Amino acid sequence: MAAPLSVPALRSPPCWRSLVDATPASRDRVVDALRALSIVVVVLWHWVLSVTHWNASGRLVMPNPVGDVPFLWLATWVLQVMPLFFVGGGVANLAAWERARERANVEDATQRRGGGAGAFLRARLSRLGRPVGVFLAVGAAAEAVARAFGAPSLLDWGIVVLVPLWFLTAYGAVVALVPLTAAVHRRGGALTLVALGAGVVLADLGRFRFGIEWLGLATTAFVWVFAHQLGYFWR
């Protein structure tokens, strides 16, 4: 008599509890939650509160409504979460940098393959670069199709199509500085924050008091590094 056929049981999709149990104990779930929350708020802010429209010249523009809508600036005290993302990034990047240094220290010099800073930067920046590569590839394909059929170019819409990349550029620059900022953190501790804060104040003083406009970029850079550096104190 033939043996009955066995039907494999269907696997149910993983529930949130199994995902939590599978999370390594070394991960800080609070930091992960804060980073995810900040990104969600940023996306919703751009979708809901940005007045994206076609201007009179036919270009797609996305002005910031904060300066035009009364009291909307109050919402930025709650929704201005970019610094929070940089703080969470500081926690994660310092942990990754310490692991990279440990691996570089235990490996034999003849067997090492770009350990330390090189391995760290390749790993961290590639995680940012892969999605950007997909974004640019899709955009390039859409641009080619548009030109082939005589449709308006994506770039004709204006710089707004590249807006998502400014944040990745800024964050990538801060990540690239981690070997340096981590070393400064080990040696200077809280004095590093004092120095960065002083840089913000002096740059703004030069900009608003003496009209040196390019110092606004310096202020922005100091603030990004300051927020990222705060994450180092989480560990």
Side-chain angles (χ1 to χ4, degrees), residues 135-182:
F135 175 82
L136 294 178
V138 172
E143 179 75 9
V145 171
R147 290 182 179 274
F149 288 92
S153 167
L154 292 179
L155 296 180
D156 290 339
W157 292 0
I159 197 66
V160 67
V161 297
L162 299 177
V163 164
L165 298 184
W166 80 262
F167 162 70
L168 290 176
T169 302
Y171 186 70
V174 173
V175 172
L177 291 174
V178 166
L180 174 61
T181 55

mmCIF file of all heavy atoms in Angstrom, residues 135-182:
data_model
loop_
_atom_site.group_PDB
_atom_site.id
_atom_site.type_symbol
_atom_site.label_atom_id
_atom_site.label_comp_id
_atom_site.label_asym_id
_atom_site.label_seq_id
_atom_site.Cartn_x
_atom_site.Cartn_y
_atom_site.Cartn_z
ATOM 1 N N PHE A 135 18.042 54.513 -7.257
ATOM 2 C CA PHE A 135 17.288 55.744 -7.530
ATOM 3 C C PHE A 135 17.775 56.415 -8.812
ATOM 4 O O PHE A 135 16.981 56.815 -9.671
ATOM 5 C CB PHE A 135 17.436 56.685 -6.336
ATOM 6 C CG PHE A 135 16.806 58.040 -6.524
ATOM 7 C CD1 PHE A 135 15.454 58.227 -6.325
ATOM 8 C CD2 PHE A 135 17.577 59.132 -6.898
ATOM 9 C CE1 PHE A 135 14.873 59.474 -6.494
ATOM 10 C CE2 PHE A 135 17.014 60.382 -7.073
ATOM 11 C CZ PHE A 135 15.654 60.556 -6.868
ATOM 12 N N LEU A 136 19.098 56.533 -8.949
ATOM 13 C CA LEU A 136 19.655 57.188 -10.131
ATOM 14 C C LEU A 136 19.450 56.344 -11.386
ATOM 15 O O LEU A 136 19.225 56.892 -12.477
ATOM 16 C CB LEU A 136 21.144 57.463 -9.914
ATOM 17 C CG LEU A 136 21.479 58.481 -8.815
ATOM 18 C CD1 LEU A 136 22.988 58.620 -8.666
ATOM 19 C CD2 LEU A 136 20.844 59.830 -9.117
ATOM 20 N N ALA A 137 19.529 55.013 -11.245
ATOM 21 C CA ALA A 137 19.323 54.148 -12.408
ATOM 22 C C ALA A 137 17.891 54.258 -12.924
ATOM 23 O O ALA A 137 17.657 54.358 -14.141
ATOM 24 C CB ALA A 137 19.649 52.700 -12.042
ATOM 25 N N VAL A 138 16.935 54.249 -11.998
ATOM 26 C CA VAL A 138 15.533 54.401 -12.408
ATOM 27 C C VAL A 138 15.315 55.773 -13.033
ATOM 28 O O VAL A 138 14.628 55.911 -14.059
ATOM 29 C CB VAL A 138 14.600 54.195 -11.197
ATOM 30 C CG1 VAL A 138 13.157 54.546 -11.561
ATOM 31 C CG2 VAL A 138 14.682 52.760 -10.704
ATOM 32 N N GLY A 139 15.915 56.798 -12.429
ATOM 33 C CA GLY A 139 15.778 58.139 -12.990
ATOM 34 C C GLY A 139 16.391 58.252 -14.371
ATOM 35 O O GLY A 139 15.823 58.890 -15.270
ATOM 36 N N ALA A 140 17.566 57.626 -14.559
ATOM 37 C CA ALA A 140 18.215 57.671 -15.871
ATOM 38 C C ALA A 140 17.385 56.940 -16.921
ATOM 39 O O ALA A 140 17.271 57.388 -18.073
ATOM 40 C CB ALA A 140 19.611 57.059 -15.776
ATOM 41 N N ALA A 141 16.792 55.804 -16.525
ATOM 42 C CA ALA A 141 15.945 55.071 -17.468
ATOM 43 C C ALA A 141 14.715 55.892 -17.841
ATOM 44 O O ALA A 141 14.321 55.954 -19.020
ATOM 45 C CB ALA A 141 15.527 53.736 -16.849
ATOM 46 N N ALA A 142 14.105 56.529 -16.849
ATOM 47 C CA ALA A 142 12.940 57.370 -17.133
ATOM 48 C C ALA A 142 13.319 58.555 -18.014
ATOM 49 O O ALA A 142 12.557 58.953 -18.909
ATOM 50 C CB ALA A 142 12.329 57.862 -15.818
ATOM 51 N N GLU A 143 14.513 59.100 -17.780
ATOM 52 C CA GLU A 143 14.987 60.217 -18.600
ATOM 53 C C GLU A 143 15.181 59.775 -20.054
ATOM 54 O O GLU A 143 14.813 60.498 -20.998
ATOM 55 C CB GLU A 143 16.301 60.740 -18.028
ATOM 56 C CG GLU A 143 16.929 61.886 -18.794
ATOM 57 C CD GLU A 143 16.207 63.203 -18.574
ATOM 58 O OE1 GLU A 143 15.325 63.262 -17.701
ATOM 59 O OE2 GLU A 143 16.528 64.171 -19.286
ATOM 60 N N ALA A 144 15.751 58.579 -20.238
ATOM 61 C CA ALA A 144 15.968 58.072 -21.595
ATOM 62 C C ALA A 144 14.646 57.851 -22.321
ATOM 63 O O ALA A 144 14.503 58.185 -23.509
ATOM 64 C CB ALA A 144 16.772 56.774 -21.537
ATOM 65 N N VAL A 145 13.671 57.288 -21.618
ATOM 66 C CA VAL A 145 12.354 57.059 -22.231
ATOM 67 C C VAL A 145 11.695 58.387 -22.582
ATOM 68 O O VAL A 145 11.102 58.548 -23.663
ATOM 69 C CB VAL A 145 11.468 56.236 -21.278
ATOM 70 C CG1 VAL A 145 10.037 56.169 -21.802
ATOM 71 C CG2 VAL A 145 12.037 54.840 -21.095
ATOM 72 N N ALA A 146 11.797 59.357 -21.672
ATOM 73 C CA ALA A 146 11.181 60.662 -21.926
ATOM 74 C C ALA A 146 11.780 61.324 -23.157
ATOM 75 O O ALA A 146 11.066 61.874 -24.004
ATOM 76 C CB ALA A 146 11.357 61.554 -20.695
ATOM 77 N N ARG A 147 13.098 61.260 -23.273
ATOM 78 C CA ARG A 147 13.748 61.882 -24.427
ATOM 79 C C ARG A 147 13.422 61.137 -25.719
ATOM 80 O O ARG A 147 13.270 61.747 -26.782
ATOM 81 C CB ARG A 147 15.259 61.931 -24.204
ATOM 82 C CG ARG A 147 15.684 62.924 -23.123
ATOM 83 C CD ARG A 147 17.192 62.973 -22.967
ATOM 84 N NE ARG A 147 17.586 63.932 -21.951
ATOM 85 C CZ ARG A 147 17.768 65.227 -22.170
ATOM 86 N NH1 ARG A 147 17.571 65.722 -23.389
ATOM 87 N NH2 ARG A 147 18.132 66.030 -21.191
ATOM 88 N N ALA A 148 13.306 59.806 -25.627
ATOM 89 C CA ALA A 148 13.010 59.022 -26.827
ATOM 90 C C ALA A 148 11.634 59.348 -27.396
ATOM 91 O O ALA A 148 11.426 59.313 -28.614
ATOM 92 C CB ALA A 148 13.116 57.532 -26.502
ATOM 93 N N PHE A 149 10.691 59.669 -26.514
ATOM 94 C CA PHE A 149 9.331 59.954 -26.963
ATOM 95 C C PHE A 149 9.024 61.452 -26.998
ATOM 96 O O PHE A 149 7.875 61.851 -27.149
ATOM 97 C CB PHE A 149 8.321 59.246 -26.054
ATOM 98 C CG PHE A 149 8.282 57.757 -26.244
ATOM 99 C CD1 PHE A 149 9.080 56.927 -25.469
ATOM 100 C CD2 PHE A 149 7.472 57.186 -27.216
ATOM 101 C CE1 PHE A 149 9.054 55.549 -25.643
ATOM 102 C CE2 PHE A 149 7.436 55.813 -27.395
ATOM 103 C CZ PHE A 149 8.235 54.988 -26.614
ATOM 104 N N GLY A 150 10.069 62.264 -26.838
ATOM 105 C CA GLY A 150 9.875 63.705 -26.925
ATOM 106 C C GLY A 150 9.133 64.311 -25.759
ATOM 107 O O GLY A 150 8.604 65.426 -25.866
ATOM 108 N N ALA A 151 9.080 63.602 -24.652
ATOM 109 C CA ALA A 151 8.398 64.123 -23.463
ATOM 110 C C ALA A 151 9.337 65.061 -22.705
ATOM 111 O O ALA A 151 10.552 65.053 -22.926
ATOM 112 C CB ALA A 151 7.956 62.966 -22.569
ATOM 113 N N PRO A 152 8.796 65.875 -21.815
ATOM 114 C CA PRO A 152 9.659 66.764 -21.026
ATOM 115 C C PRO A 152 10.673 65.973 -20.206
ATOM 116 O O PRO A 152 10.373 64.903 -19.678
ATOM 117 C CB PRO A 152 8.665 67.503 -20.118
ATOM 118 C CG PRO A 152 7.355 67.417 -20.832
ATOM 119 C CD PRO A 152 7.367 66.099 -21.541
ATOM 120 N N SER A 153 11.869 66.499 -20.110
ATOM 121 C CA SER A 153 12.919 65.858 -19.330
ATOM 122 C C SER A 153 12.603 65.947 -17.846
ATOM 123 O O SER A 153 11.944 66.882 -17.379
ATOM 124 C CB SER A 153 14.260 66.544 -19.615
ATOM 125 O OG SER A 153 15.235 66.169 -18.671
ATOM 126 N N LEU A 154 13.070 64.957 -17.097
ATOM 127 C CA LEU A 154 12.889 65.006 -15.648
ATOM 128 C C LEU A 154 13.558 66.238 -15.059
ATOM 129 O O LEU A 154 13.039 66.866 -14.132
ATOM 130 C CB LEU A 154 13.462 63.740 -15.003
ATOM 131 C CG LEU A 154 12.731 62.429 -15.283
ATOM 132 C CD1 LEU A 154 13.460 61.279 -14.591
ATOM 133 C CD2 LEU A 154 11.292 62.494 -14.804
ATOM 134 N N LEU A 155 14.714 66.584 -15.603
ATOM 135 C CA LEU A 155 15.432 67.742 -15.085
ATOM 136 C C LEU A 155 14.728 69.042 -15.433
ATOM 137 O O LEU A 155 14.985 70.075 -14.810
ATOM 138 C CB LEU A 155 16.868 67.748 -15.615
ATOM 139 C CG LEU A 155 17.739 66.572 -15.150
ATOM 140 C CD1 LEU A 155 19.140 66.685 -15.741
ATOM 141 C CD2 LEU A 155 17.805 66.514 -13.630
ATOM 142 N N ASP A 156 13.837 68.997 -16.434
ATOM 143 C CA ASP A 156 13.044 70.187 -16.740
ATOM 144 C C ASP A 156 12.088 70.519 -15.604
ATOM 145 O O ASP A 156 11.588 71.639 -15.513
ATOM 146 C CB ASP A 156 12.245 69.982 -18.035
ATOM 147 C CG ASP A 156 13.148 69.965 -19.262
ATOM 148 O OD1 ASP A 156 14.277 70.489 -19.165
ATOM 149 O OD2 ASP A 156 12.740 69.413 -20.299
ATOM 150 N N TRP A 157 11.809 69.538 -14.775
ATOM 151 C CA TRP A 157 10.918 69.780 -13.649
ATOM 152 C C TRP A 157 11.575 70.641 -12.577
ATOM 153 O O TRP A 157 10.908 71.188 -11.719
ATOM 154 C CB TRP A 157 10.481 68.453 -13.028
ATOM 155 C CG TRP A 157 9.595 67.641 -13.910
ATOM 156 C CD1 TRP A 157 9.150 67.966 -15.165
ATOM 157 C CD2 TRP A 157 9.037 66.365 -13.612
ATOM 158 N NE1 TRP A 157 8.358 66.971 -15.663
ATOM 159 C CE2 TRP A 157 8.264 65.972 -14.734
ATOM 160 C CE3 TRP A 157 9.106 65.514 -12.527
ATOM 161 C CZ2 TRP A 157 7.576 64.771 -14.780
ATOM 162 C CZ3 TRP A 157 8.420 64.311 -12.573
ATOM 163 C CH2 TRP A 157 7.661 63.943 -13.686
ATOM 164 N N GLY A 158 12.894 70.699 -12.613
ATOM 165 C CA GLY A 158 13.600 71.503 -11.625
ATOM 166 C C GLY A 158 14.403 70.639 -10.669
ATOM 167 O O GLY A 158 14.350 69.404 -10.696
ATOM 168 N N ILE A 159 15.134 71.293 -9.818
ATOM 169 C CA ILE A 159 16.030 70.616 -8.889
ATOM 170 C C ILE A 159 15.275 69.786 -7.864
ATOM 171 O O ILE A 159 15.867 68.961 -7.151
ATOM 172 C CB ILE A 159 16.917 71.667 -8.177
ATOM 173 C CG1 ILE A 159 18.132 71.000 -7.521
ATOM 174 C CG2 ILE A 159 16.108 72.442 -7.154
ATOM 175 C CD1 ILE A 159 19.091 70.395 -8.501
ATOM 176 N N VAL A 160 13.952 69.958 -7.796
ATOM 177 C CA VAL A 160 13.168 69.253 -6.789
ATOM 178 C C VAL A 160 13.286 67.739 -6.930
ATOM 179 O O VAL A 160 13.156 67.003 -5.941
ATOM 180 C CB VAL A 160 11.689 69.693 -6.866
ATOM 181 C CG1 VAL A 160 11.053 69.230 -8.168
ATOM 182 C CG2 VAL A 160 10.903 69.175 -5.674
ATOM 183 N N VAL A 161 13.568 67.247 -8.152
ATOM 184 C CA VAL A 161 13.670 65.800 -8.334
ATOM 185 C C VAL A 161 14.895 65.228 -7.626
ATOM 186 O O VAL A 161 14.975 64.023 -7.386
ATOM 187 C CB VAL A 161 13.708 65.434 -9.830
ATOM 188 C CG1 VAL A 161 12.425 65.843 -10.514
ATOM 189 C CG2 VAL A 161 14.913 66.052 -10.515
ATOM 190 N N LEU A 162 15.853 66.091 -7.303
ATOM 191 C CA LEU A 162 17.068 65.630 -6.624
ATOM 192 C C LEU A 162 17.078 65.971 -5.140
ATOM 193 O O LEU A 162 18.070 65.720 -4.456
ATOM 194 C CB LEU A 162 18.302 66.248 -7.293
ATOM 195 C CG LEU A 162 18.498 65.903 -8.772
ATOM 196 C CD1 LEU A 162 19.703 66.638 -9.329
ATOM 197 C CD2 LEU A 162 18.647 64.402 -8.968
ATOM 198 N N VAL A 163 15.980 66.528 -4.650
ATOM 199 C CA VAL A 163 15.918 66.937 -3.243
ATOM 200 C C VAL A 163 16.243 65.796 -2.278
ATOM 201 O O VAL A 163 16.945 66.008 -1.281
ATOM 202 C CB VAL A 163 14.536 67.553 -2.933
ATOM 203 C CG1 VAL A 163 14.286 67.615 -1.430
ATOM 204 C CG2 VAL A 163 14.446 68.953 -3.516
ATOM 205 N N PRO A 164 15.772 64.553 -2.532
ATOM 206 C CA PRO A 164 16.074 63.490 -1.558
ATOM 207 C C PRO A 164 17.565 63.230 -1.360
ATOM 208 O O PRO A 164 17.952 62.644 -0.348
ATOM 209 C CB PRO A 164 15.381 62.258 -2.165
ATOM 210 C CG PRO A 164 14.302 62.804 -3.034
ATOM 211 C CD PRO A 164 14.874 64.070 -3.598
ATOM 212 N N LEU A 165 18.394 63.648 -2.316
ATOM 213 C CA LEU A 165 19.813 63.310 -2.228
ATOM 214 C C LEU A 165 20.604 64.249 -1.327
ATOM 215 O O LEU A 165 21.707 63.906 -0.904
ATOM 216 C CB LEU A 165 20.436 63.306 -3.633
ATOM 217 C CG LEU A 165 19.853 62.291 -4.617
ATOM 218 C CD1 LEU A 165 20.619 62.331 -5.925
ATOM 219 C CD2 LEU A 165 19.886 60.886 -4.027
ATOM 220 N N TRP A 166 20.070 65.436 -1.021
ATOM 221 C CA TRP A 166 20.865 66.367 -0.219
ATOM 222 C C TRP A 166 21.132 65.790 1.164
ATOM 223 O O TRP A 166 22.234 65.932 1.711
ATOM 224 C CB TRP A 166 20.163 67.717 -0.098
ATOM 225 C CG TRP A 166 19.069 67.765 0.941
ATOM 226 C CD1 TRP A 166 17.738 67.624 0.735
ATOM 227 C CD2 TRP A 166 19.231 67.956 2.359
ATOM 228 N NE1 TRP A 166 17.048 67.704 1.917
ATOM 229 C CE2 TRP A 166 17.940 67.909 2.936
ATOM 230 C CE3 TRP A 166 20.334 68.159 3.196
ATOM 231 C CZ2 TRP A 166 17.722 68.057 4.306
ATOM 232 C CZ3 TRP A 166 20.115 68.303 4.566
ATOM 233 C CH2 TRP A 166 18.822 68.259 5.098
ATOM 234 N N PHE A 167 20.117 65.127 1.714
ATOM 235 C CA PHE A 167 20.275 64.577 3.055
ATOM 236 C C PHE A 167 21.319 63.465 3.067
ATOM 237 O O PHE A 167 22.155 63.385 3.976
ATOM 238 C CB PHE A 167 18.932 64.049 3.558
ATOM 239 C CG PHE A 167 19.048 63.108 4.713
ATOM 240 C CD1 PHE A 167 19.442 63.567 5.957
ATOM 241 C CD2 PHE A 167 18.793 61.759 4.557
ATOM 242 C CE1 PHE A 167 19.567 62.701 7.027
ATOM 243 C CE2 PHE A 167 18.914 60.888 5.617
ATOM 244 C CZ PHE A 167 19.302 61.364 6.855
ATOM 245 N N LEU A 168 21.283 62.596 2.052
ATOM 246 C CA LEU A 168 22.247 61.503 2.005
ATOM 247 C C LEU A 168 23.665 62.031 1.822
ATOM 248 O O LEU A 168 24.618 61.465 2.365
ATOM 249 C CB LEU A 168 21.885 60.544 0.868
ATOM 250 C CG LEU A 168 20.621 59.719 1.085
ATOM 251 C CD1 LEU A 168 20.321 58.874 -0.141
ATOM 252 C CD2 LEU A 168 20.760 58.827 2.307
ATOM 253 N N THR A 169 23.806 63.107 1.066
ATOM 254 C CA THR A 169 25.129 63.707 0.894
ATOM 255 C C THR A 169 25.659 64.230 2.226
ATOM 256 O O THR A 169 26.822 64.000 2.585
ATOM 257 C CB THR A 169 25.064 64.846 -0.132
ATOM 258 O OG1 THR A 169 24.574 64.334 -1.378
ATOM 259 C CG2 THR A 169 26.435 65.461 -0.349
ATOM 260 N N ALA A 170 24.796 64.921 2.963
ATOM 261 C CA ALA A 170 25.207 65.461 4.260
ATOM 262 C C ALA A 170 25.536 64.342 5.244
ATOM 263 O O ALA A 170 26.574 64.373 5.926
ATOM 264 C CB ALA A 170 24.102 66.353 4.822
ATOM 265 N N TYR A 171 24.668 63.349 5.301
ATOM 266 C CA TYR A 171 24.892 62.255 6.244
ATOM 267 C C TYR A 171 26.120 61.441 5.856
ATOM 268 O O TYR A 171 26.905 61.025 6.714
ATOM 269 C CB TYR A 171 23.658 61.354 6.299
ATOM 270 C CG TYR A 171 23.751 60.275 7.345
ATOM 271 C CD1 TYR A 171 23.691 60.591 8.697
ATOM 272 C CD2 TYR A 171 23.910 58.941 6.981
ATOM 273 C CE1 TYR A 171 23.783 59.603 9.662
ATOM 274 C CE2 TYR A 171 24.003 57.949 7.938
ATOM 275 C CZ TYR A 171 23.934 58.287 9.280
ATOM 276 O OH TYR A 171 24.044 57.300 10.233
ATOM 277 N N GLY A 172 26.309 61.227 4.553
ATOM 278 C CA GLY A 172 27.490 60.500 4.096
ATOM 279 C C GLY A 172 28.776 61.213 4.464
ATOM 280 O O GLY A 172 29.777 60.575 4.830
ATOM 281 N N ALA A 173 28.768 62.548 4.389
ATOM 282 C CA ALA A 173 29.955 63.313 4.770
ATOM 283 C C ALA A 173 30.259 63.146 6.255
ATOM 284 O O ALA A 173 31.424 63.006 6.660
ATOM 285 C CB ALA A 173 29.754 64.789 4.433
ATOM 286 N N VAL A 174 29.216 63.139 7.076
ATOM 287 C CA VAL A 174 29.415 62.959 8.521
ATOM 288 C C VAL A 174 29.934 61.551 8.814
ATOM 289 O O VAL A 174 30.811 61.366 9.667
ATOM 290 C CB VAL A 174 28.101 63.238 9.274
ATOM 291 C CG1 VAL A 174 28.241 62.890 10.751
ATOM 292 C CG2 VAL A 174 27.706 64.695 9.131
ATOM 293 N N VAL A 175 29.406 60.558 8.104
ATOM 294 C CA VAL A 175 29.886 59.185 8.289
ATOM 295 C C VAL A 175 31.360 59.081 7.910
ATOM 296 O O VAL A 175 32.149 58.411 8.589
ATOM 297 C CB VAL A 175 29.041 58.204 7.449
ATOM 298 C CG1 VAL A 175 29.658 56.807 7.469
ATOM 299 C CG2 VAL A 175 27.616 58.148 7.979
ATOM 300 N N ALA A 176 31.749 59.749 6.833
ATOM 301 C CA ALA A 176 33.146 59.699 6.394
ATOM 302 C C ALA A 176 34.094 60.295 7.434
ATOM 303 O O ALA A 176 35.280 59.954 7.463
ATOM 304 C CB ALA A 176 33.296 60.437 5.066
ATOM 305 N N LEU A 177 33.573 61.154 8.298
ATOM 306 C CA LEU A 177 34.399 61.778 9.333
ATOM 307 C C LEU A 177 34.480 60.953 10.615
ATOM 308 O O LEU A 177 35.176 61.355 11.553
ATOM 309 C CB LEU A 177 33.842 63.168 9.670
ATOM 310 C CG LEU A 177 33.970 64.248 8.596
ATOM 311 C CD1 LEU A 177 33.244 65.513 9.045
ATOM 312 C CD2 LEU A 177 35.436 64.555 8.310
ATOM 313 N N VAL A 178 33.772 59.828 10.679
ATOM 314 C CA VAL A 178 33.705 59.063 11.927
ATOM 315 C C VAL A 178 35.082 58.668 12.470
ATOM 316 O O VAL A 178 35.331 58.814 13.675
ATOM 317 C CB VAL A 178 32.804 57.825 11.754
ATOM 318 C CG1 VAL A 178 32.980 56.842 12.915
ATOM 319 C CG2 VAL A 178 31.350 58.254 11.659
ATOM 320 N N PRO A 179 36.020 58.154 11.650
ATOM 321 C CA PRO A 179 37.336 57.832 12.229
ATOM 322 C C PRO A 179 37.980 59.027 12.927
ATOM 323 O O PRO A 179 38.630 58.868 13.964
ATOM 324 C CB PRO A 179 38.147 57.382 11.004
ATOM 325 C CG PRO A 179 37.123 56.832 10.061
ATOM 326 C CD PRO A 179 35.932 57.731 10.227
ATOM 327 N N LEU A 180 37.783 60.220 12.380
ATOM 328 C CA LEU A 180 38.350 61.423 12.996
ATOM 329 C C LEU A 180 37.549 61.854 14.213
ATOM 330 O O LEU A 180 38.109 62.101 15.290
ATOM 331 C CB LEU A 180 38.395 62.556 11.973
ATOM 332 C CG LEU A 180 38.821 63.934 12.504
ATOM 333 C CD1 LEU A 180 40.234 63.880 13.064
ATOM 334 C CD2 LEU A 180 38.701 64.984 11.408
ATOM 335 N N THR A 181 36.222 61.946 14.070
ATOM 336 C CA THR A 181 35.405 62.437 15.183
ATOM 337 C C THR A 181 35.403 61.459 16.356
ATOM 338 O O THR A 181 35.302 61.877 17.513
ATOM 339 C CB THR A 181 33.964 62.696 14.719
ATOM 340 O OG1 THR A 181 33.419 61.506 14.124
ATOM 341 C CG2 THR A 181 33.920 63.827 13.702
ATOM 342 N N ALA A 182 35.516 60.158 16.068
ATOM 343 C CA ALA A 182 35.591 59.181 17.157
ATOM 344 C C ALA A 182 36.899 59.336 17.930
ATOM 345 O O ALA A 182 36.921 59.227 19.165
ATOM 346 C CB ALA A 182 35.461 57.761 16.606
#
